[in-house]
Amino acid sequence: MKRCVYIHIPFCESICSYCDFCKMFYNEKIVNSYLCILEKEIKKKYQNDFIKSIYIGGGSPTCLSIEQLKKLFSIIKIFKKEPNMSFTIEGNFENITEEKLALFKENNVNRLSFGIESIDEKNLAFLERNNDLTKIRKIINLAKELSFDINVDLMYALPTEDMATLNKDLDFIESLNIEHCSTYSLIIEDHTKLKIKNTKNISEDLDFLMYQNICKRMQKNGYIHYEISNFCKEGHQSIHNLCYWKNEEYYGFGLGASSYLSMKRMTNTKSINNYLKENFADYEEILSLDDEIDYEIILNLRLKEGLSLTNFFQKYGLELKEVFNYEPLLSDDLIVLEKDRLFISEEKWYISNEIIRRFLEGRVKWLKQ
Ligand code: SF4
């Protein structure tokens, strides 16, 4: 099975109120040192296998200078790449330029992922972000001319938002006519500015209505709802995220990055001081076969296509029904079995956590390896 690679670039020019990602303010000297250590980490851990997707995320990778981005691309040459490899970089409209887009193209990046989140002024003030709509349109048009696949992120369920503002955000995203849209309901995470200010979430009922509205509008506009929170035009799923959702193996390099390799889930340190001293590891979890199988269920059931019973058998040498009694969920219409596919139907996705919890509780066989 081919692996994917995630590379974390934890630098940003400003810090958003909701952000709990591993990030820090851009500092030229620290970035230069970081890139040298990143190269060492990759050389130390990469097992010289073929890679089917690279994703450079952050942080805000596009806040790096042209020279720093060139250094990053020279590091990435280490990897043996599959033909047609998916290669994504996260972009921020505040610091992306025509020159950076051209550099991405030269280095075989073929997908860009941008956080728009909202275009409403009140929402943006709440999120402590800026959006210049003219610049967004200009960059998106340039990216299309250069044939990049484009994803944008949309955030909803903000306390400053109502259905009318959400509809304006959706109008704008639809007008861009891009290939992919990832949506996120606001979560107020610990250690964020929002948490410190004691911000409260909107009601679950309104959150659900907003989610329904997004699903309805995206589908009306020709997008396939292929994962609980993700929409794409035909043939434009995120290869990289599918690797996570299908429980496949991946490398994670950089500050705070996670890897999943040979039955181990490993997370790097979030301390820049430790990372720069090449003390990469934070913790690792050695998975039993039972843990692996739980991840297989939890992740695959997020997808419209669900879990393939044949794949499950090929991977674990067991029939799914030997391990779980999922008959009660079928009788309650909470999951659907269609030929080889077991899935949660779209209208039940909003309660998928509860369904998956019940699924796992139906375990009848433990393997304990
Ligand atoms: S949300 Fe993105 S751009 Fe904003 S602070 Fe976090 S990593 Fe940086």
Side-chain angles (χ1 to χ4, degrees):
M1 191 182 291
K2 308 285 183 307
R3 288 169 170 164
C4 295
V5 167
Y6 175 78
I7 297 175
H8 193 68
I9 303 295
F11 304 101
C12 294
E13 282 173 343
S14 55
I15 302 295
C16 310
S17 63
Y18 58 95
C19 182
D20 79 326
F21 303 136
C22 180
K23 83 287 173 187
M24 67 194 69
F25 281 108
Y26 175 88
N27 171 298
E28 190 186 351
K29 267 193 179 164
I30 295 180
V31 174
N32 289 339
S33 311
Y34 183 82
L35 292 172
C36 292
I37 302 299
L38 179 70
E39 182 169 20
K40 288 190 181 179
E41 188 198 358
I42 294 174
K43 284 184 173 158
K44 184 173 170 191
K45 297 183 183 169
Y46 171 52
Q47 295 165 16
N48 215 26
D49 42 355
F50 276 96
I51 299 302
K52 69 173 178 182
S53 167
I54 297 179
Y55 190 106
I56 303 177
S60 214
T62 47
C63 75
L64 269 53
S65 69
I66 288 282
E67 282 316 308
Q68 289 166 338
L69 287 166
K70 283 183 180 165
K71 167 77 181 165
L72 180 61
F73 287 123
S74 78
I75 297 170
I76 285 169
K77 291 207 167 74
I78 295 170
F79 297 111
K80 278 165 56 180
K81 301 167 185 78
E82 279 282 288
N84 305 323
M85 184 189 75
S86 171
F87 190 176
T88 307
I89 189 159
E90 282 180 1
N92 188 319
F93 291 108
E94 282 186 5
N95 43 42
I96 195 156
T97 59
E98 286 180 42
E99 198 185 359
K100 288 179 187 174
L101 280 180
L103 182 69
F104 298 162
K105 190 73 197 170
E106 243 170 68
N107 285 279
N108 303 317
V109 174
N110 46 29
R111 190 168 180 274
L112 302 171
S113 181
F114 293 107
I116 288 184
E117 318 307 351
S118 175
I119 59 162
D120 177 75
E121 288 304 324
K122 269 198 212 151
N123 287 350
L124 289 169
F126 172 79
L127 298 171
E128 297 185 35
R129 291 181 68 100
N130 290 311
N131 270 333
D132 170 347
L133 302 195
T134 313
K135 178 153 190 206
I136 293 178
R137 287 194 194 282
K138 185 178 160 207
I139 293 292
I140 295 273
N141 287 337
L142 277 171
K144 282 184 182 174
E145 279 168 25
L146 293 169
S147 308
F148 288 106
D149 250 36
I150 301 167
N151 168 65
V152 299
D153 294 343
L154 165 75
M155 193 169 276
Y156 67 99
L158 313 181
T160 42
E161 182 174 39
D162 57 22
M163 206 56 95
T165 35
L166 174 62
N167 277 325
K168 274 194 210 151
D169 286 347
L170 289 165
D171 289 342
F172 183 73
I173 284 174
E174 284 163 17
S175 76
L176 298 175
N177 194 23
I178 34 89
E179 287 80 16
H180 195 283
C181 180
S182 299
T183 65
Y184 301 88
S185 165
L186 175 73
I187 298 174
I188 297 164
E189 304 278 6
D190 286 344
H191 314 298
T192 59
K193 293 187 196 175
L194 292 184
K195 186 77 177 189
I196 293 161
K197 286 190 216 158
N198 205 16
T199 312
K200 299 282 172 251
N201 279 114
I202 63 166
S203 73
E204 271 190 29
D205 288 348
L206 183 54
D207 186 305
F208 176 57
L209 289 175
M210 287 184 172
Y211 177 73
Q212 271 187 322
N213 184 28
I214 293 169
C215 299
K216 203 170 73 200
R217 287 201 49 178
M218 293 304 287
Q219 282 169 331
K220 201 169 145 217
N221 276 280
Y223 288 86
I224 301 163
H225 191 181
Y226 75 103
E227 191 270 349
I228 295 176
S229 308
N230 284 272
F231 303 83
C232 70
K233 294 273 175 73
E234 178 85 50
H236 293 275
Q237 290 104 325
S238 163
I239 307 274
H240 194 84
N241 285 348
L242 279 174
C243 165
Y244 300 145
W245 296 321
K246 292 191 170 184
N247 199 27
E248 294 172 4
E249 297 195 348
Y250 53 87
Y251 294 97
F253 300 109
L255 197 68
S258 298
S259 305
Y260 168 43
L261 300 166
S262 312
M263 305 274 285
K264 275 190 211 159
R265 289 190 181 265
M266 295 152 282
T267 302
N268 274 358
T269 177
K270 290 191 169 120
S271 151
I272 188 74
N273 291 334
N274 283 344
Y275 189 81
L276 294 179
K277 285 184 207 145
E278 298 176 49
N279 295 327
F280 301 122
D282 185 10
Y283 62 89
E284 74 175 38
E285 180 193 3
I286 298 175
L287 302 179
S288 66
L289 202 48
D290 291 320
D291 297 331
E292 279 263 333
I293 288 175
D294 283 355
Y295 277 115
E296 191 79 20
I297 305 299
I298 294 166
L299 296 165
N300 278 274
L301 288 182
R302 293 186 64 89
L303 292 168
K304 183 185 172 84
E305 67 181 77
L307 184 79
S308 153
L309 301 186
T310 311
N311 283 354
F312 186 89
F313 184 77
Q314 283 169 353
K315 217 164 160 181
Y316 301 104
L318 291 160
E319 300 283 350
L320 186 65
K321 62 181 181 217
E322 286 178 66
V323 189
F324 295 97
N325 172 18
Y326 50 82
E327 280 303 321
L329 292 171
L330 287 171
S331 340
D332 290 350
D333 281 334
L334 292 173
I335 52 170
V336 181
L337 181 60
E338 244 176 44
K339 296 184 184 150
D340 179 50
R341 290 189 323 121
L342 190 76
F343 57 96
I344 299 175
S345 57
E346 197 185 329
E347 67 277 7
K348 303 264 169 40
W349 274 354
Y350 197 76
I351 54 161
S352 59
N353 286 345
E354 176 58 19
I355 298 175
I356 291 169
R357 186 185 61 75
R358 279 188 56 188
F359 194 107
L360 298 178
E361 280 174 4
R363 189 183 263 278
V364 288
K365 183 176 184 129
W366 280 264
L367 303 146
K368 299 269 182 238
Q369 276 181 36

